[in-house]
Amino acid sequence: MERKRYSHIDLLETIAIFFVIMYHSTLYVFDITESGTMLNYARYFARTILSTCVPLFFFANGYLLFNRNFDLKRHIKKTFRLVVLVFVWGVILMPIYMLISGEAFSVKVFLLSIFNLSIPWGMNLFWFIGALVCMYLLFPALKASYDTDRRAFLFFTLACFALTFGFVAGNQFLEFTGMVLHHKFTSMNYSILTMYNPFRGSYGYSFVYFCVGGLLYTYENKILQIPRRKRNCLAVAGMMLSCSFLFLIGVFYSKYYDGKMWDVVWNGYDTIFTFINVICIYVLCLSYNGKNKYITAISVNTLGIYFTHGLIIRLTRPWMKTIPALCNYTVNLLYAFFILCICLLICILIKKIPLLKKLV
């Protein structure tokens, strides 16, 4: 039976996969440590919103799963399918990536690319699926708590928030204060507090986005009672403020703390400011009531697009970077949209082949 679709979640997932592609297909220079021009600062600031790309997917999964009827057998099959897909796509893509990167193609190197997460183009490319599987493994217990004891579920969510976002914020505060006072404080990651943190060394913040996605479903009607213009203005203002703070954190680390370029996207996933931006994007998406077939098609095929976009980028990006006129933010937007369209077409074609349609 076809499950109910939520048009605003379709839009949210479309934004998420576009941001993923935009991040991975970067053509322009934004390094503020080498060239602190106003243009580079502007590009660096524009990247802050891209830190919502993967968190939006975690949020959307929680929104959809917590508020559907739960079938354990079907859930186990879905989880197992994700694990299998990672290995299948790994076997398909890793040899191609080896050839593109110029690596020697041997059985040993191939096996290392499949099982060793330290190889740049190895299975760590699919870390998002790994985090999703971890959430799916605990989901039956979380779903039971969500349905029968909401206070216990809220406690778990708040504990996750404190032990992930809280730790990150605490470390950033200590590092900033240490720079001002010329004193190096002990990181919270190496203190006795980690003994009580079950999420140390993992993508624990993903559970926060996942659980909050489920919770906001229950408050959606109250949010919709706020006049559309007012809630959208508040969301935009919240995004601008959060992006500004994330930008300042990035400048602090890049220019004044260790002099190394701070990836505002990857390092921004578990910051409070990215969390706020995810909520703001969700609020803005609530105003979308259309049935745009293209947006729906992208949402349905986000998993397939996620698996295939890296290959298209690796085949086209090196050539594009040889042409200076193409290495700017505007062209990058068009380039990301082009990749999105190509990957969507690939997914649609694969689904027409009976033996391969399960791959996407």
Side-chain angles (χ1 to χ4, degrees), residues 167-180:
F167 260 58
V168 171
N171 280 326
Q172 291 172 346
F173 176 78
L174 288 175
E175 286 160 352
F176 177 76
T177 304
M179 189 193 74
V180 173

Side-chain angles (χ1 to χ4, degrees), residues 48 51-52 55 209 246 268-269 271-279:
T48 57
S51 67
T52 62
Y209 291 112
L246 189 56
Y269 290 155
T271 63
I272 294 173
F273 306 112
T274 296
F275 175 80
I276 294 172
N277 280 339
V278 167
I279 304 301

